């Protein structure tokens, strides 16, 4: 297949909210600096649903969604040295080139090398898509497009991992689990003894809980409007639960009252701007830090009284938990292999690529954390 166009199955999102259809898609060979990957397993993240739902200002249609996956390198373009055919890899929507201004800053995991292209659904080399159906281009998504049996990614957007790792599990390290852990370890830098509040107990929020537990937090307060989440959350380190629907007072006041003035760290893992405000305002004055992890819909804005910040609270955000993708995803995979972090526990459902619409339905049901799709049926 090297150097040839591959025709394979992919789930195409033609329009927002319209069911995806499985199509025969032509995947062009990788150009210089590109890697063609056979995707074996891909999970769905809430961000896929957000873009499919028309809430993403960068959402372009028709496109191939998907960004939490694992596979094997099929071929590489000219000049690619970091991976070779046969390598086991995790595509990384947050690139790491190591050479651009932001990579070299040492202050962030955001990489600027390919972001301008991935934000408009194309590849950097020629500004075009590698996907087409009978000559009609189909946009890439987040530089990964993993709802396909084959995809093409930039070489700076692929992490080589230990071939011993089960790809049907570690695909989750391509987004949700890594993001939650990193939000605690890299962005907030939670210290032992801290009181932590987590708003939203989906995969991302539960990974925050696991990160907080390993960081030595003394109390981990989980807040969710779905009380069914509470039982499972105990297994990830949540020690106390609050359902805002069961309280008359604003949730920030409920939390302040039960924590002697507020929490040390809070994490918003929903994408709701009102909850983002509550998450900031439940922090302790003088030092409490709130991290925005959730992705809010196009047009939404956050607000609070400036006094909240003047009086010492800190408002931050995180992308991919602050992890440098190509360097640190292999490290996370190794931690999983050493049983130092959970991954299997987040997988509540397994389906095939052709059942992807059912998987999107499941994502909106309380009982689903992550649904992993096998792509090679
Ligand atoms: N910043 C980043 O790098 C990343 C951000 N995300 C974003 O993180 C968010 C969470 O993702 P998932 O865990 O996959 O989503 P999810 O949908 O599985 O979890 C969200 C949870 O929030 C709860 N919830 C909804 N409204 C609520 C409210 N008003 N108050 C309290 N709880 C509420 C739901 O019951 C659910 O348990 C999404 O917005 C996603 O787009 C995901 C991955 C990476
Ligand atoms: N396209 C959206 C922004 C979506 C967003 O914030 N994405 C996160 C990752 S969410 C993963 O599930 C992210 O890493 N953001 C940083 C980035 O460089 O994209 C919009 O335009 O609002
Ligand atoms: Zn994601
Ligand atoms: Zn870079």
């Amino acid at each position: 297949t090297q150097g040839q166009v591959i025709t394979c199955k992919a789930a195409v999102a033609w329009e927002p909210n319209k069911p995806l259809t499985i199509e025969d898609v032509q995947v062009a060979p990788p150009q210089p600096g590109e890697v063609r990957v056979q995707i074996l397993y891909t999970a769905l993240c809430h961000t896929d649903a957000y873009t499919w739902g028309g809430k993403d200002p960068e959402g372009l249609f028709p496109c191939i969604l998907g960004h939490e996956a694992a596979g094997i390198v099929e071929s590489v373009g000219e000049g690619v040295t970091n991976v070779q055919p046969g390598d086991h890899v995790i595509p990384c929507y947050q690139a790491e080139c190591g050479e651009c201004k932001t990579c070299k800053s040492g202050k962030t995991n955001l990489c600027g090398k390919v972001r301008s292209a991935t934000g408009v659904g194309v590849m950097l080399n020629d500004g075009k898509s590698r996907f087409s159906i009978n000559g009609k281009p189909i946009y890439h998504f987040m530089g990964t497009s993993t709802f396909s049996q084959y995809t093409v990614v930039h070489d700076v957007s692929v992490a080589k991992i230990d071939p011993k790792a089960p790809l049907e599990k570690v695909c989750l390290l391509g987004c949700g689990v890594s993001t939650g852990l990193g939000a605690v370890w890299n962005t907030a830098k939670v210290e032992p003894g801290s009181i932590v509040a987590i708003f939203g107990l989906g995969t991302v929020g539960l990974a925050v809980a696991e990160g907080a537990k390993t960081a030595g937090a003394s109390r981990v307060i989980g807040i969710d409007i779905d009380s069914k989440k509470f039982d499972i959350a105990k297994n990830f380190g949540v020690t106390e639960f609050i359902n805002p629907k069961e309280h008359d007072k604003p949730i920030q006041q409920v939390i302040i009252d039960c924590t002697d003035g507020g929490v040390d760290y809070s994490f918003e893992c929903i994408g709701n701007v009102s909850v983002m405000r509550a998450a900031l305002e439940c922090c302790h004055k003088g030092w409490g830090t709130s991290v925005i992890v959730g992705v809010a819909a196009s047009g939404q804005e956050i607000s609070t009284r400036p006094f909240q910040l003047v009086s010492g609270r800190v408002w931050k955000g995180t992308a991919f938990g602050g992890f440098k993708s190509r360097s640190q995803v292999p490290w996370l995979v190794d931690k999983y292999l050493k049983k130092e972090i959970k991954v299997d526990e987040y997988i509540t459902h397994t389906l095939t690529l052709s059942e992807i619409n059912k998987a999107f339905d499941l994502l909106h049901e309380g009982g689903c954390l992550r649904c992993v799709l096998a792509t090679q049926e």
Side-chain angles (χ1 to χ4, degrees):
T1 52
Q2 195 174 342
Q4 295 170 17
V5 172
I6 292 177
T7 297
C8 68
K9 301 288 181 198
V12 177
W14 292 99
E15 290 173 37
N17 290 311
K18 194 172 158 199
L20 279 59
T21 55
I22 303 295
E23 307 282 355
D24 285 321
V25 172
Q26 284 77 51
V27 185
Q31 292 189 8
E34 298 173 3
V35 180
R36 191 160 58 182
V37 180
Q38 182 184 29
I39 297 294
L40 296 182
Y41 297 95
T42 181
L44 284 77
C45 167
H46 200 89
T47 306
D48 298 307
Y50 151 89
T51 301
W52 179 55
K55 295 178 187 158
D56 181 355
E58 291 184 307
L60 294 166
F61 295 85
C63 71
I64 297 174
L65 298 165
H67 63 282
E68 197 174 278
I72 298 176
V73 173
E74 176 270 338
S75 62
V76 300
E78 195 186 312
V80 173
T81 55
N82 58 318
V83 289
Q84 59 183 22
D87 283 347
H88 288 210
V89 292
I90 291 182
C92 302
Y93 62 85
Q94 195 54 251
E96 182 190 356
C97 77
E99 292 163 1
C100 72
K101 179 181 174 186
T102 46
C103 276
K104 285 206 292 203
S105 71
K107 297 178 178 182
T108 176
N109 65 329
L110 301 179
C111 169
K113 177 147 185 202
V114 298
R115 187 64 181 80
S116 60
T118 59
V120 291
V122 296
M123 299 302 289
L124 188 66
N125 198 49
D126 62 355
K128 291 186 179 155
S129 174
R130 301 289 167 263
F131 297 112
S132 59
I133 298 179
N134 301 324
K136 178 183 168 62
I138 308 293
Y139 287 113
H140 295 246
F141 171 67
M142 288 176 81
T144 50
S145 288
T146 60
F147 294 162
S148 176
Q149 292 179 322
Y150 286 86
T151 190
V152 176
V153 300
H154 297 97
D155 58 355
V156 294
S157 306
V158 64
K160 181 178 165 178
I161 61 164
D162 187 332
K164 289 197 292 299
L167 298 179
E168 70 275 21
K169 310 284 191 212
V170 296
C171 56
L172 266 57
L173 294 172
C175 184
V177 174
S178 306
T179 297
L181 295 173
V184 177
W185 296 342
N186 305 321
T187 309
K189 297 187 171 68
V190 168
E191 309 96 355
S194 303
I195 304 178
V196 170
I198 305 166
F199 292 79
L201 299 174
T203 293
V204 175
L206 293 176
V208 167
E210 192 190 359
K213 184 181 171 186
T214 60
S218 61
R219 294 174 66 186
V220 180
I221 306 168
I223 301 111
D224 204 296
I225 50 172
D226 177 4
S227 297
K228 291 196 293 297
K229 288 284 161 76
F230 295 169
D231 257 350
I232 187 163
K234 284 180 197 157
N235 304 330
F236 291 84
V238 177
T239 58
E240 298 156 56
F241 305 98
I242 302 176
N243 185 335
K245 287 181 174 172
E246 292 169 3
H247 294 267
D248 296 328
K249 280 190 284 187
I251 186 65
Q252 49 269 58
Q253 196 56 50
V254 174
I255 295 169
I256 288 167
D257 290 349
C258 72
T259 54
D260 188 25
V263 301
D264 300 305
Y265 296 97
S266 73
F267 298 84
E268 200 279 355
C269 306
I270 302 163
N272 177 318
V273 292
S274 309
V275 179
M276 290 174 189
R277 179 175 191 154
L280 175 78
E281 294 180 358
C282 78
C283 285
H284 202 287
K285 74 175 172 191
W287 64 77
T289 296
S290 186
V291 180
I292 293 176
V293 191
V295 172
S298 176
Q300 297 283 298
E301 294 183 346
I302 49 171
S303 62
T304 190
R305 283 187 68 215
F307 180 67
Q308 292 284 335
L309 306 184
V310 168
S311 51
R313 294 169 194 83
V314 177
W315 221 347
K316 297 175 122 180
T318 192
F320 196 51
F323 279 119
K324 288 203 172 253
S325 62
R326 285 201 297 136
S327 326
Q328 292 187 284
V329 166
W331 174 79
L332 285 162
V333 169
D334 292 345
K335 278 181 93 62
Y336 165 74
L337 289 173
K338 287 188 268 178
K339 301 190 190 312
E340 291 172 7
I341 57 170
K342 295 186 201 306
V343 173
D344 303 16
E345 291 80 352
Y346 297 91
I347 301 172
T348 52
H349 298 77
T350 53
L351 293 173
T352 59
L353 183 64
S354 60
E355 297 173 296
I356 192 161
N357 289 305
K358 190 172 161 193
F360 270 105
D361 290 344
L362 283 169
L363 208 60
H364 298 295
E365 289 173 15
C368 180
L369 292 175
R370 280 300 191 256
C371 178
V372 175
L373 306 177
T375 62
Q376 313 289 323
E377 300 166 36

